[in-house]
Amino acid sequence: MVMLDRRKLAVPLFAQAGAFIVVLVIGGFTGHAAPKPPPGAQGTPGTASPSSTAGTGSPASAKGPVLKLSVKVTEDGTNGLSQAGDTVAGSQVRVLQNGSLASVASGTLSASGTQSKVQEYAANVPAGQYQVCIDPPIGWESRVRTTQALAGWICSPADLRTSPQLVTFRLTSQVPQVGQ
């Protein structure tokens, strides 16, 4: 059995804790602390904004018009994945600003009525250009040519500078069938 000297372990531990405290102090002095809600703000921290129907966003603090972004995901050719419970339902959605890729809204896909192969997400976001990204389970890929992969997510551009927009993803399963 290997015996470790506690004194040799304590020095790096305290150094790491001290460095973390320094980072927190610097963050507080440079204005990177969490902003305080304005007086009379509704809701509590950590809850979804009332202007976002299936996720979080910060349209109340945005300047300019706020437009509705709708996301629709359909499942094509499930090859038994839906029956096994491996659908895109519950997959994460993120709305990222073009250029900076800062997150503007996020949430999860939810079933559209009684159609188990159609999932939806909606959020109100400030007017602008975005990348709408979904994180489907392993075995699903996009059938839409305008999508691209970004760190394992499937993303599609959305231009909400002048009007609301619907972004549609068509996903297909890529699980090989026996005998293929």
Side-chain angles (χ1 to χ4, degrees), residues 52-56 68-75 87-95 106-123 132-134 165-171:
S52 175
T53 60
T56 61
K68 184 173 184 174
L69 170 67
S70 301
V71 179
K72 180 178 173 184
V73 180
T74 60
E75 300 174 8
T87 69
V88 297
S91 294
Q92 293 292 313
V93 178
R94 285 198 182 151
V95 181
S106 64
T108 57
L109 292 171
S110 58
S112 171
T114 59
Q115 299 177 351
S116 64
K117 290 187 176 190
V118 177
Q119 309 297 321
E120 293 181 339
Y121 168 81
V132 179
C133 302
I134 60 171
Q165 186 173 357
L166 170 66
V167 177
T168 302
F169 292 89
R170 284 184 44 217
L171 301 182

Side-chain angles (χ1 to χ4, degrees), residues 144-163:
V144 178
R145 292 183 185 182
T146 59
T147 61
Q148 64 269 358
L150 180 63
W153 293 60
I154 300 173
C155 300
S156 181
D159 189 351
L160 279 86
R161 289 181 286 186
T162 57
S163 63

Side-chain angles (χ1 to χ4, degrees), residues 76-83 140 172-177 180:
D76 293 340
T78 60
N79 290 338
L81 285 177
S82 291
Q83 290 78 10
W140 292 93
T172 184
S173 63
Q174 293 301 307
V175 177
Q177 294 294 314
Q180 287 185 342

Side-chain angles (χ1 to χ4, degrees), residues 4 10 13 28-29 44 50 82 90 98 122 124 154 174:
L4 299 174
L13 177 68
F29 284 123
T44 59
S82 291
N98 268 0
N124 292 326
I154 300 173
Q174 293 301 307

